[in-house]
Amino acid sequence: MNYLLSEIARIVGGEHRGCDLRVKEVVTDSRGVLSSDDVIFVAINGKHHDGHDFIPAMVARGVKAFIVEREVDMPAEGVGVVVVASAIVALQRLAAHHRRDFRGRVVAITGSNGKTIVKEWASRSMPDTVRSFASPKSYNSQLGVALSLLMLDGTEEVAFIEAGISEPGEMERLEAMIRPDIVVVTSIGDAHSANFKSERQKIEEKLLLARRAHTIIYSSEYQSLAEAVEELYGDRELIDSSIESVEDELELSDALSVDALHVSALMRRLGYGVDDAVFSANVAMRLELKEGVDDSMIIDDTYNSDINSVAVALNALYVQSMGRRRVAVISDIRQSGIPSEELYGRVAVAVKKAAVDHLIGVGETISSFAHLFPRGSSFYLSTDELIENFDRERWAKSVILVKGSRDSRFERLTRLLERRTHTTTLEVDLAAMKKNLNYFRQHLPQHHPIVAMVKAGSYGTGDVDVARMLQHEGVRYLAVAFADEGVTLRKKGITMPIVVLNADQDSFDMMIAHDLEPEIYSFHSLDAFRRAVHHAHREAYPIHIKLDTGMHRLGFVDDEIDLLGRAIHLDTTLRVASIFSHLSSADVVEEDDFTRKQIAAFDYMSQQLTEWLDYKPLRHIANSAAIVRFKEAYFDMCRLGLGLYGFGFEHNDSLIPVATLSTRIVQIKNLAAGESIGYGRAARTEHETVTATIPVGYADGLDRHLGNGRWEVIVGGKRAPIIGRVCMDSAMIDITGIAGVEVGDTVTIFGPEAGNTLEDMARVLDTISYEIMTSISARVKRIYAER
């Protein structure tokens, strides 16, 4: 994009004031501003954040152009603003205008599942000589689509735009921006069904995307979708991918095969054929965060390299670094359609904007343009050459972006950099966690403070990376169980307030040294912490008072409130940051009367205590379940625990489980009838059996009670029972009848698939999902996915 502010005001129906600046880049998240040059900051007043609050900080960083919804004080010369009624509507109007000026073909991809993989496969299947654009990652929302369209520079021949909706009315706004020529509808399933009255309503809403398109690609595998397409758009060019591409031989799982057929049909319709099509299940569609050697962190974005995705990945590097050294490893960029000098000039600008401390370029082409990059950058002609010169000290205490094309084979580099090499991994979807956070925020008043529970390593998902995301998302407090957990977060750069829920006297000095705030639940702990603060020569140190309203675990009881008030009255050493209590049964419908009694008791007790103070502490009692079920429990702040991770709420389609435990097959055996398997010969084959050994056992968190057929893993989309006893470091599974299984294939222990979820496993073990998640061993490698 390239507009004057006066032009933007005219396009969006706003009022231009101040300087008439030229802008080329839109930013809506103040934390992602890499450079102030040619940037316009759009101050969106959302449910969770008000962008206007960040304008002074943006001005201080040199940003001079803004779209705002109200009068704001601009404390700098040379600033220009466009005042509008709604910033998000203005952004969408600007995107729609920018799209109308685009002369290439626009392909829009929608559906319940498979949108991102179809978009990625299609964009990477384009010929090298054709310039194309694909919306970054999962930029498919009302905001994401607008930002994607504004990235078009007008020279592309084809643009692939992903469009996702979750409620009626959204697709009409997306269609007005995208105005696609071709629409691909990938699937119709249960995802995001909660806000639609019926499957038909959801289908019709998605098909609004095609109202001005001349071609619709779909699959008759989804009968209700096919019927609606033919009924509503019978006068258009309709392509049934299951028929058009039936001759394609695709050795993929069933779901991926459907996606590949969509891509085949699309590439044929665009006129490029399928000879060079990319149908790789290894194509990464999101950034992965991994722990690296020597206190480093890896942002793995391999198998994907174009100028827009490079900019997105560098932005992730900037945000995740939090003051640490930034290293970027970038390979040659294929299939850009841009002259090489212009392309790498743009990469060099993006590297500079991201304040990269050390760039490492890999490939003959990027190396030939080394003069465009900052002094001190390193260049290697191949990944082999880089690995041959691998020096661990170069990577220590850094955040490392690994960004490469498929043929760069950067996975070899990431293996060298990873701290843990265990084949078994727990993948934590941070994008899903954000969606869960926003689901609970939708129930709360605008900008309502939240305490996020990250104790026990964020319920087993890992501590620092989850905490870093929550800090970025504007959560008010983090809560840990013990001081050691809080110290770890501080050492990793987490600066937001942290509450320690099981604060003991021996850890008070360490807590004060790291600005950790204790839960105070007894007069003994109150007196001991006051002495520690006094000894440290601190004043007004924040504490959090715990009240016992019926849980009977920790906390001051009703009879102690008056004495507690006298103890903290006019105390200058301590300051009560919050008063809180714990609901025991907010998720148990049969105990709702007891829950309401707890809420009433807390209201009374906390008010009595507050009357002793000349300030107002925050009051909070609502947990995840209470946020959804008890509005009267909101008070001044709410605590979000297991619900943040997508667990603990059965039959709630709005929550997404964030963790997937998986491993790989290390050996396959063909056994005759009558053979025994595992310790104690607990399993005997009744017929010829094919088994696979997987390197995960009870030392990794795979409970021994899941053996002997009590639990089924997923292999190639099929279920395979655990056969015999679970060993300490391995287990055996029965893959008889599952065709095409090979050593190295992925095995999902638990994940989002029905019948294979963590909640399903908890029912088998007669326990709760908390116990399983917190039992996943520290030796299991955590991978953090950031869409």
Side-chain angles (χ1 to χ4, degrees), residues 665 690-694 713 715 720-723 731-736 747:
I665 293 173
V690 183
T691 66
T693 301
I694 53 177
V713 300
V715 182
I722 295 175
I723 186 169
M732 287 68 75
I733 58 175
D734 185 348
I735 59 171
T736 307
V747 176

Side-chain angles (χ1 to χ4, degrees), residues 420-425 662-666 695 779-781:
R420 293 187 181 93
T421 57
H422 195 337
T423 302
T424 301
T425 62
S662 62
T663 188
R664 294 186 181 276
I665 293 173
V666 294
R779 76 181 186 181
V780 172
K781 180 168 61 179

Side-chain angles (χ1 to χ4, degrees), residues 37-63:
D37 297 337
D38 306 324
V39 167
I40 184 168
F41 177 68
V42 183
I44 297 174
N45 184 10
K47 184 173 178 61
H48 316 308
H49 307 283
D50 185 351
H52 298 79
D53 295 339
F54 304 101
I55 289 177
M58 293 298 94
V59 172
R61 291 168 65 179
V63 177

Side-chain angles (χ1 to χ4, degrees), residues 337-349:
I338 306 173
S340 293
E341 186 161 6
E342 176 189 348
L343 172 66
Y344 292 103
R346 290 168 64 176
V347 173
V349 169

Side-chain angles (χ1 to χ4, degrees), residues 577-648:
S578 80
I579 305 169
F580 72 106
S581 187
H582 195 100
L583 295 173
S584 68
S585 309
D587 58 337
V588 183
V589 175
E590 295 79 8
E591 297 293 344
D592 281 359
D593 287 343
F594 181 77
T595 298
R596 292 188 179 94
K597 288 179 181 178
Q598 277 198 272
I599 295 170
F602 172 72
D603 189 17
Y604 174 77
M605 293 168 65
S606 59
Q607 284 196 56
Q608 293 297 108
L609 183 57
T610 301
E611 289 178 1
W612 285 95
L613 305 172
D614 58 2
Y615 55 90
K616 297 291 185 183
L618 296 171
R619 298 190 296 160
H620 54 105
I621 190 172
N623 56 11
S624 301
I627 292 174
V628 176
R629 305 191 60 238
F630 296 96
K631 188 174 182 179
E632 65 269 31
Y634 290 172
F635 293 99
D636 305 312
M637 187 159 62
C638 294
R639 295 192 307 278
L640 189 52
L642 198 60
L644 177 65
Y645 306 93
F647 304 119

